[in-house]
Amino acid sequence: MIKYSYSQDEFKNKLKSSASVIDSSGLTLKNGLYGNIINGQSFQQDALTSYGGWQYITYYDAERHVCVGRRKLPSSKWEIVRLTDYRFSKNKSQENDGHNTISIGLCQKDGTIHLSFDQHGGGLNYRVSKTGILEHPEKVQWESTLFNPVINYLEKDKPVLAISYPAFISTPQGNLLFIFRNGTSGNGDCILVSYDGSKSKWYNTHTFISGKGEYIDPNAGKSTARNAYLNNVSFDRLGRLHISWTWREIVASKGNRDICYAYSTDNGNSWLDQKNATITTSGATKESIDTQTPNVLVKSLSRGWGMINQQSQTIDHNLTPHIVMSHRKEEGLPGWSRMDDALYFHYYKMGENWIAQKIPFMGNRPKLLADKNNNLYLIFIRKGNFDFINQGAPLVIVKARSKNNWTDWTSIYESKEHYFNEVQVDTKRWTADNVLSIMGQALPINVGAASAIKVIDIKL
């Protein structure tokens, strides 16, 4: 196992935390496909978010209902709506699929709450609230009738039939984006749809990363299809949208290759490469990024590095992109890395080059944040292996300072409680209030037993 670069004495916490219980009976999965976690996975983008002094959370309860909670910040009592007209999973073949998570989106312009849930390669399950409920929440009775029925489309008469990893992203203009994979592992496209809050309408569904093209895998030969696994998607303080990703080839299902990066100045309608050249535009001849697109490569890594997909990125106050990926310390045979041969690696852009640094910590898929002084915070559950079946571990926060070029990663927090999931962080509250609100689910007593869902608040 990894010998971490700290002792337990160092974990006399420098930060104080408080925790609120959202639900004492959150769902976990018995005999779960891809693990037993369903509440709190890295690819959800947001299960916990805030706006206008109120915080919102979404999760499945033990009765397999989609739940939406809210509270007035900083610490009022949580109110919970249980949408009992739908039960996870309608598609019985996926009833214990840990990738069928829930994502939540808030549209400031029309005051709506958006939910996408219970899909991993199947049809879209989408529901949206009535308009105006975010502007004066204290005047809104929190009840299930606020949410419209489940539908399988965003744009009218365009049903979404093969969706995975949905994510809502609030734009600086107060509108919303929706990103998902269309297709399957090793053979899929990344799709983006825009929401105009002034009309309460979705529009411009288009592919922005295509799975087409040829690639020669050193160990598996020619591949003619793939999919991009996105890290969480980030806006910077100037309103530019940043994406980073890895590729999964159709001929080589075990393992991912390469880290890539691009950004957009128009909410994803067009994309620019690392030399600031436009590489794609929606509706143009070159509409989507693909494996042949130049100047998007951050780091060439074969499947022998065992890189895990769907991890984390952030953009600091100086507009520097930062990416954290876990992979092996040395290249080996194709396959997944293990906790004992891997570390987190920090990649950041300096001019036209990317700098790579080892982070002397390891856990499950993390979240990366930056403060206004460009210091970085990595948040994770310090599990000892990648087996998600009833393995609880402390919530850990480590920090690196900008003035030392992020070389001084130091632990600043470790929880006494053990948690089960991958962390979800309220990035909106972090930006607005310098408070880390983190969603955690307690370790269940037995495999598949219900356990408490909490929000841990840490003031920096």
Side-chain angles (χ1 to χ4, degrees):
M1 297 296 292
I2 291 174
K3 294 182 179 179
Y4 295 98
S5 64
Y6 51 82
S7 68
Q8 289 301 315
D9 290 339
E10 291 179 75
F11 277 114
K12 294 177 180 177
N13 287 335
K14 303 172 185 178
L15 302 176
K16 292 184 178 181
S17 65
S18 60
S20 55
V21 176
I22 313 303
D23 196 318
S24 60
S25 296
L27 179 65
T28 71
L29 302 178
K30 188 174 184 178
N31 302 319
L33 184 63
Y34 309 111
N36 289 24
I37 302 165
I38 188 64
N39 293 311
Q41 296 269 24
S42 64
F43 45 78
Q44 282 179 266
Q45 181 85 22
D46 288 314
L48 178 68
T49 190
S50 57
Y51 171 66
W54 287 67
Q55 192 168 54
Y56 301 84
I57 192 170
T58 186
Y59 63 93
Y60 293 110
D61 67 12
E63 300 300 317
R64 294 178 171 255
H65 295 137
V66 174
C67 300
V68 188
R70 71 171 187 175
R71 67 169 173 174
K72 187 175 182 179
L73 292 171
S75 57
S76 294
K77 183 179 178 181
W78 286 91
E79 303 172 76
I80 307 298
V81 162
R82 301 180 194 275
L83 301 175
T84 58
D85 59 343
Y86 185 98
R87 191 172 184 271
F88 165 73
S89 174
K90 180 174 63 177
N91 182 352
K92 293 301 181 184
S93 67
Q94 295 187 4
E95 65 180 356
N96 283 318
D97 188 332
H99 287 197
N100 287 28
T101 54
I102 314 170
S103 290
I104 188 171
L106 308 181
C107 180
Q108 299 174 16
K109 190 168 284 187
D110 67 357
T112 49
I113 300 174
H114 301 248
L115 302 169
S116 181
F117 50 92
D118 194 13
Q119 61 245 311
H120 183 208
L124 173 68
N125 294 306
Y126 166 72
R127 66 194 312 166
V128 60
S129 74
K130 298 182 183 338
T131 59
I133 68 172
L134 296 179
E135 289 306 314
H136 300 285
E138 68 281 355
K139 297 180 181 179
V140 175
Q141 186 71 31
W142 194 242
E143 56 190 14
S144 60
T145 56
L146 292 172
F147 291 87
N148 293 314
V150 180
I151 56 176
N152 69 347
Y153 62 88
L154 300 175
E155 292 192 79
K156 192 171 178 59
D157 299 323
K158 293 183 179 180
V160 180
L161 304 178
I163 176 175
S164 299
Y165 312 123
F168 296 99
I169 302 101
S170 298
T171 72
Q173 298 79 22
N175 294 308
L176 208 59
L177 303 176
F178 186 62
I179 288 175
F180 63 94
R181 185 186 74 194
N182 179 49
T184 60
S185 176
N187 188 9
D189 300 326
C190 291
I191 308 297
L192 188 148
V193 196
S194 299
Y195 183 80
D196 183 349
S198 64
K199 300 178 181 178
S200 298
K201 185 177 180 179
W202 291 98
Y203 68 100
N204 194 26
T205 299
H206 67 280
T207 298
F208 69 100
I209 304 181
S210 169
K212 296 178 181 179
E214 289 190 358
Y215 169 77
I216 305 301
D217 184 278
N219 297 99
K222 184 169 74 171
S223 175
T224 58
R226 65 206 48 81
N227 76 281
Y229 279 112
L230 291 165
N231 297 324
N232 54 284
V233 179
S234 312
F235 276 102
D236 65 28
R237 64 180 177 83
L238 297 184
R240 300 185 305 178
L241 183 65
H242 300 255
I243 54 173
S244 58
W245 70 95
T246 63
W247 295 109
R248 173 79 57 82
E249 298 295 326
I250 196 170
V251 299
S253 61
K254 287 189 176 181
N256 308 298
R257 56 98 175 169
D258 295 348
I259 303 173
C260 301
Y261 163 84
Y263 74 96
S264 173
T265 58
D266 56 9
N267 294 335
N269 188 65
S270 61
W271 294 92
L272 291 85
D273 65 19
Q274 297 179 51
K275 295 185 177 181
N276 304 313
T278 299
I279 48 177
T280 70
T281 302
S282 175
T285 302
K286 181 62 174 174
E287 185 175 39
S288 55
I289 300 166
D290 59 36
T291 189
Q292 304 299 326
T293 301
N295 301 321
V296 297
L297 186 67
V298 171
K299 179 71 173 179
S300 178
L301 294 169
S302 75
R303 291 184 299 119
W305 288 93
M307 182 168 48
I308 306 301
N309 46 285
Q310 295 162 302
Q311 298 195 54
S312 195
Q313 69 171 37
T314 194
I315 316 301
D316 71 21
H317 202 68
N318 284 344
L319 309 179
T320 301
H322 299 264
I323 301 169
V324 167
M325 305 292 287
S326 63
H327 57 71
R328 288 175 178 153
K329 290 171 275 188
E330 296 180 358
E331 188 175 15
L333 295 175
W336 302 116
S337 62
R338 306 180 309 273
M339 290 289 190
D340 60 356
D341 70 358
L343 283 176
Y344 295 130
F345 285 80
H346 171 214
Y347 296 90
Y348 67 94
K349 196 169 186 291
M350 185 65 69
E352 293 190 358
N353 300 312
W354 287 85
I355 309 299
Q357 298 174 333
K358 294 179 180 179
I359 301 175
F361 295 89
M362 191 56 189
N364 63 5
R365 290 184 290 192
K367 283 290 184 287
L368 180 66
L369 299 173
D371 66 20
K372 293 178 181 178
N373 295 317
N374 304 311
N375 302 311
L376 297 179
Y377 301 82
L378 195 67
I379 307 159
F380 56 93
I381 307 297
R382 202 190 67 221
K383 295 190 175 186
N385 60 58
F386 287 125
D387 182 358
F388 297 133
I389 298 176
N390 278 31
Q391 188 199 8
L395 168 68
V396 173
I397 303 173
V398 298
K399 176 182 177 179
R401 292 177 292 181
S402 172
K403 69 178 184 179
N404 291 329
N405 294 318
W406 308 287
T407 59
D408 58 348
W409 290 94
T410 305
S411 62
I412 61 171
Y413 178 84
E414 179 178 349
S415 67
K416 295 180 181 178
E417 298 81 12
H418 283 200
Y419 297 99
F420 179 54
N421 58 304
E422 295 173 335
V423 295
Q424 287 285 305
V425 179
D426 183 348
T427 57
K428 300 296 184 185
R429 190 180 187 196
W430 166 250
T431 301
D433 301 330
N434 208 39
V435 172
L436 285 173
S437 276
I438 303 166
M439 174 184 173
Q441 184 164 9
L443 177 68
I445 297 174
N446 300 304
V447 175
S451 66
I453 295 174
K454 302 180 181 181
V455 170
I456 304 99
D457 291 327
I458 303 170
K459 175 72 175 178
L460 294 180

